[in-house]
Structure formats: C-alpha cells, structure tokens
Amino acid sequence: PNYVDTGNISAEHIDQFGGEFAVVFNSLSIQAEAVYDVVDSRGGNRERFFAYYAYATYFLTGEHRNYKGSTAVFDKVEILKPFDLDKGHWGAFEVAFRYGHIDLDSGNVRGGKMDDFTVGLNWYFIPQTRLMINYVRANLQGVGESDALGLRFQIVF
C-alpha cells in the first residue's frame, strides 16, 4: 500500500530545494538528505511538503565505505578478509541505522505524515555481493504503525 500519497496535483509551478551530506570516519559513515517542495497548483493554492532522513553505518570488521567523488556516489566496499572457509574468513559485517520523516499534509492536500526507523545488518561475502536484512518500523500519524522485515541480495557488476 501507499503509506503516504498526495494523489495527483495539477501544478502550475514547482520549486524544489534540497541538500545532502555524507562523511566517513574510518568504519563509521553518516549521511543525510532533506527536501522541501513548494507547489503552486493551477487552482491558485500553494502547497509545501518536506522530507528528510539520516543514516549511519558501522563496519564491525574494520572496513569503510568508499566515496567516489567523480560520480558523487559510494563505491563498492573493499573487504579486508573476503569469505573463505578454509582461512576462517567470513567477509565484512556492517550494521546500519536510519531514521526518516515525510510530511505531505499542506493546505488542501492531506497526503499523510510518516516517521520510520530502520535497523539493518549487511554481510559482504566478496566485493561484488551483499546480503542485507532490515527491520523497519513506520508510524503513520493518525493511522497506526507498520512493521516490515526485508531481505535482499545484491550483486554488483
């Protein structure tokens, strides 16, 4: 289901403002992003929407996230001891925490408000793979709470 949704807004003009940052301190990384939208509808109303998140990860096995400045994205993780049972190596383990907020209520629009908290564990077998498990708790203001457990497997080419 759509937890928050404004539906279609017939917009005359939209201004979007946003900012983001990321820092890496050895095995700890922190990043955040915020977005503020001002929507002038064809009906003459001005609606304002806001969302942000903050995210932190920590490698239990000493690795760190690699930031690639040329493309402004995080690159694959260089694993110190890739998975090898004969050597007793299990790869890299990373814990992750995320908090997010979105507010889609403004003027005549009732898209909803939601806060969510995520805790996760990432297991990097070899540099091209990652197994992720996440628990998410969402609180939809005025509606209730939702819990989700996600499991994903990623291959990087």
Side-chain angles (χ1 to χ4, degrees), residues 22 40 101 110:
D40 293 326
H101 172 80
R110 290 289 164 249

Side-chain angles (χ1 to χ4, degrees), residues 36-98:
Y36 179 71
D37 292 327
V38 179
V39 180
D40 293 326
S41 71
R42 294 196 190 279
N45 295 327
R46 176 168 278 183
E47 312 297 350
R48 294 171 177 85
F49 307 111
F50 182 66
Y52 65 88
Y53 75 86
Y55 176 72
T57 70
Y58 184 79
F59 278 95
L60 302 172
T61 48
E63 288 80 4
H64 64 275
R65 294 175 76 198
N66 295 309
Y67 186 75
K68 199 171 187 179
S70 61
T71 55
V73 297
F74 283 99
D75 204 359
K76 64 184 173 189
V77 173
E78 295 178 23
I79 300 171
L80 298 176
K81 295 180 180 180
F83 185 78
D84 185 336
L85 285 179
D86 292 335
K87 294 180 181 178
H89 298 168
W90 288 91
F93 289 91
E94 177 187 37
V95 291
F97 304 94
R98 182 185 183 280

Side-chain angles (χ1 to χ4, degrees), residues 17-29:
F17 306 92
E20 61 185 323
F21 79 89
V23 294
V24 177
F25 300 105
N26 298 320
S27 294
L28 175 68
S29 72

Side-chain angles (χ1 to χ4, degrees), residues 74-150:
F74 283 99
D75 204 359
K76 64 184 173 189
V77 173
E78 295 178 23
I79 300 171
L80 298 176
K81 295 180 180 180
F83 185 78
D84 185 336
L85 285 179
D86 292 335
K87 294 180 181 178
H89 298 168
W90 288 91
F93 289 91
E94 177 187 37
V95 291
F97 304 94
R98 182 185 183 280
Y99 174 77
H101 172 80
I102 187 167
D103 182 352
L104 298 181
D105 288 345
S106 175
N108 296 324
V109 177
R110 290 289 164 249
K113 294 179 184 180
M114 183 176 72
D115 296 289
D116 66 84
F117 175 75
T118 302
V119 61
L121 177 66
N122 299 320
W123 179 20
Y124 299 80
F125 303 76
I126 58 175
Q128 297 81 12
T129 63
R130 175 170 56 163
L131 178 66
M132 300 165 274
I133 185 165
N134 291 300
Y135 167 73
V136 182
R137 163 97 342 138
N139 178 11
L140 293 104
Q141 294 180 14
V143 177
E145 295 176 339
S146 174
D147 296 295
L149 184 64

